[in-house]
């Protein structure tokens, strides 16, 4: 089974056209705000569009068939092509003149990690900041389309889990055709982004800040236009509550949003993963809020302007915001949670391994994987007592096939191994233990803020050059569900069979 190079490069050309088009949109923002980098952004966009045209014309005569091996290469290397071309606005404008830093920022954008090397975000031209936020938005929707429509055809990925409800890669998710599925998800994604932008502007943000934070919320990215992130608006709690609502929605399976808009609200609410996701958020928020209120060094007079309920409201809001920001892997910050008692530091570190729902823009392991692993673990006790009984794992009242259960268990083992190896490699760069495990968990889970020297009020600027490349690699494999990238590192993948 030989690789179909022409169709692979045809897809790369299409991605370049897509990327270049959004760069030209950033050029328009630069022109409106007269930030001095309009020509540079225009040059970047036109170059990438031209590259895309050349690739598509050169590979116009290609076989229409895309086999599994081709699919893996398109998905994994497609992300790299996007990241490489996405560095041009930073490099040409001089906003990030170093290639390693520019690639890191771009990969962090497309993988919706939100880790940044910028020390003074507010000094960056608005057109470049908009492009930075746009990389989040492109990457977030790209993941939805991959998870719902493409990865199941490769036999892996997030929708392999959703398939527990409707087994088989061609089960009726939204519409049987992939293009129609992607189109409907795009409409929901764009609609949520527009709604949040309007609400944030009404609540007191400028239009520029509102649209950038909307792009980064719905993608569960975390880039902000302010050095203090969302903590800049600690005096405007309504803004933070709006972001909380949309972080929650972004961490929910977008298919359920579609069902809700179609009037099938009960179907969405009764989904097992959604119910567990909601319970996790509620439970973890109560724990964090109580500790912040009673135990943490939480001086609201210095970081906040509380609403009528005073410290209780502020403690609840910051707890809910940070729990959602980490569980959904958005990574926005309203306060330095590493100062909220050692328990909460470990608590938030643990949440980095949770992740949002399958079919959402969030990273991490995903709630449904944890659910199925927990259910399978409890069934093992019953199987020990009743070895002849047939006890399948059930999800939404339907039996989950053994292949999916093994896939999930294999994924989790590989995820934890990747985390351990990731931390070991970071430690080789003379990074302390707390920072190393924080970097590994945050990069692999696409969270953004880590621990230690790379915590929520710091950035990744001090990370050594090799450390930045390693972090970018972890972001990529974490974002693309591990198997999609790691299979390319195996010798048998490249053998012609």
């Amino acid at each position: 089974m030989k690789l179909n190079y022409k169709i692979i490069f045809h897809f790369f050309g299409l991605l370049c056209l897509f990327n270049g088009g959004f760069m030209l949109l950033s050029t328009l923002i630069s022109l409106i705000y007269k930030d001095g980098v309009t020509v540079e952004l225009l040059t970047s966009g036109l170059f990438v569009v031209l590259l895309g045209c050349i690739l598509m014309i050169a590979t116009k005569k290609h076989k229409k068939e895309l086999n599994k091996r081709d699919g893996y290469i398109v998905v994994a290397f497609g992300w790299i092509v996007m990241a490489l071309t996405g560095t041009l606005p930073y490099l040409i404008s001089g906003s990030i003149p170093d290639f390693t830093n520019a690639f890191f920022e771009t990969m962090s954008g497309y993988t919706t990690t939100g880790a940044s090397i910028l020390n003074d975000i507010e000094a960056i031209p608005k057109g470049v900041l908009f492009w930075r936020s746009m990389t989040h938005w492109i990457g977030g929707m790209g993941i939805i389309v991959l998870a719902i429509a493409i990865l199941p055809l490769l036999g892996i990925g997030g929708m392999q889990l959703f398939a527990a409800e409707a087994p088989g890669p061609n089960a009726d998710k939204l519409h049987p055709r992939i293009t129609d599925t992607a189109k409907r998800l795009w409409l929901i994604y764009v609609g949520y982004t527009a709604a949040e932008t309007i609400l944030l502007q009404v609540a007191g943000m400028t239009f520029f800040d509102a649209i950038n934070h909307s792009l980064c919320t719905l993608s569960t990215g975390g880039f902000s236009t302010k050095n203090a992130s969302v903590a800049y608006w600690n005096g405007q709690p309504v803004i933070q509550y709006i972001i909380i609502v949309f972080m929650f929605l972004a961490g929910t399976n977008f298919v359920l949003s579609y069902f809700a808009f179609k009037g099938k609200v009960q179907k969405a609410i009764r989904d097992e993963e959604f119910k567990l996701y909601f319970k996790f958020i509620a439970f973890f928020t109560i724990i964090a809020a109580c500790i912040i209120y009673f135990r943490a060094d939480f001086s609201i007079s210095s970081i906040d302007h509380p609403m009528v309920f005073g410290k209780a409201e502020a403690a609840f809001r910051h707890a809910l915001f940070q729990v959602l920001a980490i569980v959904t892997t958005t990574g926005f910050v309203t306060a330095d949670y590493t100062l909220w008692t050692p328990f909460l530091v470990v608590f938030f570190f643990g949440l980095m391994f949770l992740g949002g729902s399958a079919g959402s823009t969030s990273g991490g392991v995903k709630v449904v994987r944890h659910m199925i692993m927990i259910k399978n673990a409890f069934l093992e006790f019953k199987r020990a007592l009743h070895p002849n009984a047939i006890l399948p794992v059930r999800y939404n009242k339907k039996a989950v096939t053994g292949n999916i259960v093994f896939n999930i268990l294999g994924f989790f083992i590989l995820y934890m191994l990747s985390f351990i190896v990731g931390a070991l490699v970071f430690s080789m760069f003379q990074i302390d233990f707390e920072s190393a495990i924080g970097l590994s968990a945050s990069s692999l889970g696409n969270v953004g803020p880590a621990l230690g020297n790379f915590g929520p009020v710091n950035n990744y600027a001090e990370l050594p050059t090799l450390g930045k490349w390693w972090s970018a690699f972890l972001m990529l494999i974490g974002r693309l569900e591990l198997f999609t990238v790691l299979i390319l590192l195996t010798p048998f993948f490249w053998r012609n069979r």
Side-chain angles (χ1 to χ4, degrees):
M1 187 169 56
K2 292 184 178 181
L3 292 172
N4 187 350
Y5 289 104
K6 282 192 174 182
I7 197 171
I8 290 169
F9 280 94
H10 195 77
F11 270 108
F12 291 166
L14 185 63
L15 290 174
C16 287
L17 283 178
F18 192 66
N19 227 15
F22 280 109
M23 285 181 197
L24 295 177
L25 182 61
S26 302
T27 303
L28 182 61
I29 297 294
S30 175
L31 182 64
I32 292 170
Y33 286 97
K34 298 177 181 177
D35 60 4
V37 294
T38 305
V39 174
E40 289 83 350
L41 290 175
L42 180 63
T43 303
S44 303
L46 290 176
F47 176 82
V48 177
V49 167
L50 180 62
L51 177 63
C53 289
I54 292 170
L55 285 172
M56 291 197 75
I57 292 169
T59 58
K60 186 168 62 174
K61 295 180 180 178
H62 61 269
K63 292 180 181 178
K64 302 296 182 183
E65 298 174 4
L66 186 74
N67 60 47
K68 277 194 175 186
R69 292 173 75 207
D70 299 333
Y72 282 115
I73 291 173
V74 166
V75 171
F77 284 100
W79 233 258
I80 295 171
V81 167
M82 295 282 277
L84 287 171
T85 54
T87 61
L88 292 179
Y90 298 122
L91 295 170
I92 296 176
S93 70
S95 300
I96 307 178
D98 179 73
F99 177 71
T100 293
N101 286 335
F103 183 83
F104 179 91
E105 196 80 10
T106 312
M107 183 60 81
S108 178
Y110 284 119
T111 58
T112 71
T113 304
S116 180
I117 53 82
L118 294 173
N119 289 312
D120 188 0
I121 296 166
E122 293 168 39
I124 301 296
K126 282 184 164 57
V128 176
L129 282 182
F130 184 78
W131 168 247
R132 181 171 173 260
S133 301
M134 189 57 73
T135 59
H136 267 343
W137 198 75
I138 297 167
M141 193 60 240
I143 285 300
I144 291 294
V145 174
L146 277 176
I148 304 292
I150 297 173
L151 293 185
L153 301 181
L154 304 181
I156 61 164
M159 284 309 300
Q160 183 81 350
L161 310 174
F162 189 74
E165 182 177 9
N170 295 316
D172 184 18
K173 314 296 189 304
L174 309 182
H175 194 279
R177 291 184 59 192
I178 288 175
T179 51
D180 290 326
T181 296
K183 195 184 298 180
R184 283 159 173 75
L185 294 172
W186 266 106
L187 286 173
I188 294 169
Y189 194 61
V190 172
Y192 278 156
T193 305
E196 186 183 0
T197 301
I198 294 167
L199 289 172
L200 288 176
Q201 197 173 4
V202 170
M205 272 192 184
T206 65
F207 173 74
F208 182 77
D209 289 333
I211 193 168
N212 276 274
H213 282 83
S214 298
L215 294 170
C216 298
T217 303
L218 267 301
S219 60
T220 64
F223 281 153
S224 177
T225 54
K226 303 296 182 184
N227 292 326
S229 188
V230 182
Y232 181 88
W233 290 278
N234 275 345
Q236 296 167 273
V238 174
I239 286 176
Q240 295 178 352
Y241 279 118
I242 291 169
I243 293 174
I244 282 169
V245 170
F246 284 95
M247 279 197 293
F248 179 82
L249 290 173
T252 306
N253 191 331
F254 273 65
V255 172
L256 299 183
S257 290
Y258 175 81
F259 288 148
F261 286 126
K262 291 288 286 183
K264 300 176 182 178
V265 179
Q266 289 298 320
K267 185 170 183 177
I269 293 174
R270 289 174 182 167
D271 181 78
E272 278 193 63
E273 184 188 28
F274 176 78
K275 288 192 288 187
L276 187 60
Y277 170 65
F278 182 85
K279 289 174 184 176
F280 274 158
I281 299 296
F283 179 67
F284 295 143
T285 298
I286 291 168
I287 292 174
C290 289
I291 293 173
I292 291 170
Y293 186 83
F294 292 109
R295 296 280 307 275
D297 181 14
F298 183 73
S299 176
I300 55 174
S301 60
S302 63
I303 71 165
D304 218 336
H305 296 285
M307 295 174 71
V308 292
F309 300 109
K311 186 177 178 180
E313 182 279 326
F316 168 77
R317 172 163 39 92
H318 286 288
L320 177 58
F321 191 100
Q322 289 308 148
V323 165
L324 268 170
I326 293 176
V327 168
T328 64
T329 71
T330 307
F332 281 139
V333 174
T334 59
D336 186 356
Y337 56 77
T338 61
L339 301 178
W340 288 349
T341 75
F343 174 83
L344 282 181
V345 175
V346 178
F347 178 79
F348 284 121
F349 173 69
L351 293 186
M352 291 181 186
F353 294 89
L354 184 57
S357 305
S360 72
T361 57
S362 61
V365 176
K366 303 291 192 304
V367 172
V368 70
R369 283 193 177 103
H370 289 288
M371 179 197 302
I372 291 174
M373 285 191 294
I374 292 167
K375 284 188 173 186
N376 188 61
F378 278 108
L379 282 177
E380 285 301 322
F381 291 118
K382 290 185 178 180
R383 289 170 186 145
L385 291 172
H386 308 285
N388 296 321
I390 299 173
L391 301 168
V393 176
R394 294 189 175 275
Y395 172 54
N396 284 343
K397 299 180 181 179
K398 294 181 180 178
V400 180
T401 65
N403 286 340
I404 292 175
V405 175
F406 292 139
N407 179 287
I408 291 168
L409 294 174
F411 176 90
F412 186 73
I413 292 168
L414 191 57
Y415 192 94
M416 295 311 296
L417 281 173
S418 300
F419 161 68
I420 293 167
V421 172
L424 283 171
V425 173
F426 280 124
S427 68
M428 291 169 62
F429 304 129
Q430 305 302 309
I431 295 171
D432 64 275
F433 174 75
E434 183 181 359
S435 299
I437 62 170
L439 281 168
S440 185
S442 180
S443 299
L444 192 62
N446 308 122
V447 178
L451 301 177
N453 298 326
F454 306 94
V457 295
N458 301 314
N459 61 24
Y460 286 53
E462 298 304 314
L463 193 62
T465 298
L466 289 176
K468 287 171 184 168
W469 285 101
W470 180 243
S471 178
F473 174 71
L474 291 178
M475 291 176 198
L476 180 65
I477 66 170
R479 180 77 281 186
L480 296 181
E481 306 271 304
L482 299 183
F483 296 117
T484 316
V485 179
L486 296 181
I487 195 172
L488 301 181
L489 304 179
T490 59
F492 60 80
F493 177 86
W494 298 99
R495 291 182 196 141
N496 288 323
R497 296 181 298 280

